[in-house]
């Protein structure tokens, strides 16, 4: 379904409707609601997937008007209220994890549990934030020029090195999905959801009183360390390390990712 807000048109998809608290899955940058297809075919719980603004079927109505992470949080809150959903189990991957943290901070009453796959709390140091801001602006300009070479370069990121050999079908689906985006919409999303435009959520994270599940691939050393820092900040946090996996665990080892999801249900 498409839900129109004052600034965007947001696509969401519903699975296995029931009276349970639903799971809400948020993809990473260049992904879409399709990114979770291989998980949702086996995860038989009440769930929703969403195209984040600027990705695939979710679009900024006026690409020139201002839009922030706060806008996104308020829109998701409005969507949940329209659907008469009081609480969710919010699962975010990479960029989706960061914006899940932002939403959880602003609307704690909506969160039953928080599941963070290869996600960070944002950028702490001002010089790093400034460098990332200009790097992402440059990347956005490259994306506006031509989406195909941009995606070819993006897929060469070492974080994704072993995806093709571990799950060729989903790797090919992901490649097609990435090229289906509108390049101007995606470029705006790159700038809007850049960590340089978000605050560092360490203090907010400490205040979360709901269960937090952190999922990392065993080859993703940087994010394993970030996950350990999350454990230090909040005693409600549990970290799961997925074997034979890098950054995107739900593509590289979907069976083990599903095990963690199912484990979160019964704890």
């Amino acid at each position: 379904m498409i839900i129109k807000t004052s600034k965007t048109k947001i696509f969401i998809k519903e699975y296995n409707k029931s009276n349970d608290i639903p799971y809400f899955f948020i993809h990473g940058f260049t992904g879409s609601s399709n990114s979770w297809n291989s998980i949702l075919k086996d995860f038989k719980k009440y769930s929703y997937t969403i195209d984040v603004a600027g990705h695939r079927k979710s679009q900024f109505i006026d690409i020139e008007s201002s839009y922030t992470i706060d806008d996104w949080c308020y829109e998701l809150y409005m969507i949940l209220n329209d659907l008469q959903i009081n609480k969710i189990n919010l699962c975010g991957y990479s960029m989706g994890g960061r914006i899940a943290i932002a939403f959880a901070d602003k609307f704690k009453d909506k969160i039953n549990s928080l599941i963070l796959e290869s996600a960070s709390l944002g950028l702490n140091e001002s010089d790093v934030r400034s460098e990332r801001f200009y790097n992402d602006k440059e990347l956005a300009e490259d994306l506006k020029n031509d989406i195909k070479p941009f995606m070819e370069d993006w897929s060469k990121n070492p974080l994704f090195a072993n995806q093709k050999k571990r799950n060729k079908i989903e790797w090919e689906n992901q490649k097609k999905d990435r090229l289906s985006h509108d390049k101007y919409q995606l470029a705006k999303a790159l700038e809007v959801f850049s960590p340089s435009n978000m605050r560092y959520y360490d203090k907010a994270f400490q205040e979360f009183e709901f269960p937090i599940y952190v999922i990392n691939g065993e080859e993703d050393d940087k994010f394993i360390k970030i996950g350990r820092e999350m454990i230090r900040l909040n005693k409600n946090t549990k970290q799961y390390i997925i074997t034979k996996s890098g950054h995107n665990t739900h593509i590289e080892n979907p069976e083990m990712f599903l095990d963690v999801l199912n484990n979160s249900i019964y704890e």
Side-chain angles (χ1 to χ4, degrees), residues 65-211:
S65 66
S66 66
Y67 189 92
T68 67
I69 184 63
D70 285 344
D71 289 317
W72 188 87
C73 290
Y74 284 119
E75 287 179 348
L76 179 55
Y77 185 78
M78 181 206 75
I79 288 169
L80 294 178
N81 286 343
D82 282 353
L83 295 171
Q84 298 182 323
I85 296 172
N86 294 321
K87 282 189 178 291
I88 57 174
N89 299 296
L90 185 57
C91 177
Y93 161 67
S94 197
M95 177 197 79
R98 274 191 289 105
I99 61 180
I101 292 168
F103 179 83
D105 174 44
K106 195 167 287 292
F107 299 109
K108 297 178 181 64
D109 62 307
K110 286 290 188 184
I111 305 298
N112 183 62
S113 68
L114 186 63
I115 304 160
L116 303 172
E117 178 191 3
S118 305
S120 78
L121 298 169
L123 299 175
N124 189 13
E125 300 175 20
S126 59
D127 55 341
V128 174
R129 184 184 297 274
S130 177
E131 181 181 359
R132 181 61 181 266
F133 176 80
Y134 288 108
N135 285 347
D136 282 351
K137 283 190 75 69
E138 186 175 331
L139 281 173
E141 290 305 313
D142 291 343
L143 179 50
K144 291 175 191 176
N145 288 332
D146 195 338
I147 193 170
K148 190 171 182 180
F150 176 90
M151 290 303 178
E152 287 174 355
D153 288 343
W154 186 259
S155 65
K156 293 174 184 175
N157 190 312
L159 291 173
F160 313 135
N162 295 310
Q163 286 183 1
K164 185 177 181 179
K165 71 179 182 181
R166 286 178 174 154
N167 194 339
K168 187 176 180 181
I169 292 175
E170 283 307 311
W171 181 86
E172 289 175 345
N173 289 338
Q174 175 181 256
K175 185 177 180 181
K176 291 176 185 176
D177 212 36
R178 284 174 170 170
L179 292 173
S180 71
H181 299 300
D182 177 276
K183 62 184 181 180
Y184 298 106
Q185 289 281 335
L186 191 62
K188 184 174 179 70
L190 172 57
E191 295 187 75
V192 167
F193 298 113
S194 168
S196 65
N197 285 323
M198 298 171 65
R199 63 188 177 86
Y200 187 55
Y201 284 93
D202 59 334
K203 291 182 174 59
F205 194 84
Q206 293 178 60
E207 298 174 0
F208 291 166
E209 296 181 352
F210 38 75

